[in-house]
């Protein structure tokens, strides 16, 4: 059975934990392991932080969109902003690449997203915004999906 939820919220840093907790609560019905739950929270946190800090450059008028679909034991997450966009996606994906070196854990966001999921897709255009799609299979259900 397909089950979908969508949320949208202002690009404020305090909403990062709201997003992380909300997605985790939705995913809970798939009975994830603690590790899987932590990984999902971490990737949501990285993607939402990127939307707020890079996409909207901390302008709270920006709106961050998240949709999550649960189907066949996998989670399909889309995190979207309509902010500044990324000029060179290949460069942005490189470990340690950052345009904000003063930040904590600099340049590892996309690497973390890649490592903690089964599939990472980045669509972005300067001036239009960025859409991140993440797919993660939960181990319990993996056998059913292959
Ligand atoms: N939503 C976004 N909008 C615009 N630029 C982004 C976005 N997400 C990532 N980027 C760009 O990609 C780079 C790498 O992102 P990331 O790996 O998360 O590292 P960090 O956030 O520490 O810079 C960022 O420094 C930024 O230039
Ligand atoms: Mg980041």
């Amino acid at each position: 059975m397909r089950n979908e939820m969508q949320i949208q919220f202002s690009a404020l840093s305090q909403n990062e934990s709201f997003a992380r907790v909300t997605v985790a609560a939705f995913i809970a019905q798939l009975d994830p392991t603690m590790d899987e739950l932590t990984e999902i929270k971490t990737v949501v946190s990285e993607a939402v932080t990127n939307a707020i800090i890079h996409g909207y450059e901390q302008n709270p008028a920006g709106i961050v969109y998240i949709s999550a679909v649960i189907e066949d034991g996998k989670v399909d997450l889309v995190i979207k902003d309509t902010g500044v966009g990324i000029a060179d996606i290949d460069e942005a994906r490189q470990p340690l690449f950052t345009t904000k070196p003063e930040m904590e854990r600099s340049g590892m966001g996309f690497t973390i997203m890649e490592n903690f999921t089964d599939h990472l897709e980045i669509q972005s255009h300067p001036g239009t915004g960025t859409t991140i799609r993440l797919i993660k299979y939960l181990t319990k259900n993996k056998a059913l999906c292959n």
Side-chain angles (χ1 to χ4, degrees):
M1 187 194 59
R2 188 179 191 277
N3 186 4
E4 173 166 9
M5 74 90 170
Q6 298 182 358
I7 52 173
Q8 57 184 71
F9 50 86
S10 301
L12 289 163
S13 62
Q14 61 262 42
N15 286 337
E16 178 268 314
S17 68
F18 162 73
R20 177 161 40 95
V21 169
T22 304
V23 172
F26 183 67
I27 297 316
Q29 60 194 296
L30 280 181
D31 202 13
T33 63
M34 290 309 282
D35 282 351
E36 287 168 339
L37 209 51
T38 302
E39 288 163 4
I40 287 164
K41 283 189 197 165
T42 304
V43 300
V44 170
S45 172
E46 292 294 337
V48 169
T49 303
N50 280 354
I52 294 170
I53 288 174
H54 301 299
Y56 293 123
E57 295 172 312
Q58 316 222 46
N59 177 355
I63 303 287
V64 182
Y65 303 84
I66 299 183
S67 78
V69 176
I70 296 174
E71 195 171 25
D72 300 332
K74 72 171 190 290
V75 188
D76 193 329
L77 272 173
V78 174
I79 294 138
K80 179 185 153 185
D81 68 68
T82 57
V84 298
I86 301 171
D88 185 336
I89 296 172
D90 288 339
E91 181 185 48
R93 284 181 81 136
Q94 294 302 308
L96 301 175
F97 176 85
T98 183
T99 49
K100 293 208 193 306
E102 67 280 7
M103 270 176 56
E104 198 184 324
R105 220 165 43 190
S106 270
M108 292 306 285
F110 282 133
T111 305
I112 290 166
M113 288 184 236
E114 196 159 11
N115 287 340
F116 281 176
T117 62
D118 296 294
H119 180 77
L120 165 66
E121 235 171 85
I122 305 167
Q123 276 184 304
S124 190
H125 302 283
T128 309
T130 301
T131 301
I132 306 296
R133 183 171 179 215
L134 297 152
I135 298 175
K136 186 172 179 64
Y137 291 88
L138 301 187
T139 44
K140 196 171 222 177
N141 302 288
K142 225 163 217 167
L144 301 172
C145 307
N146 295 336

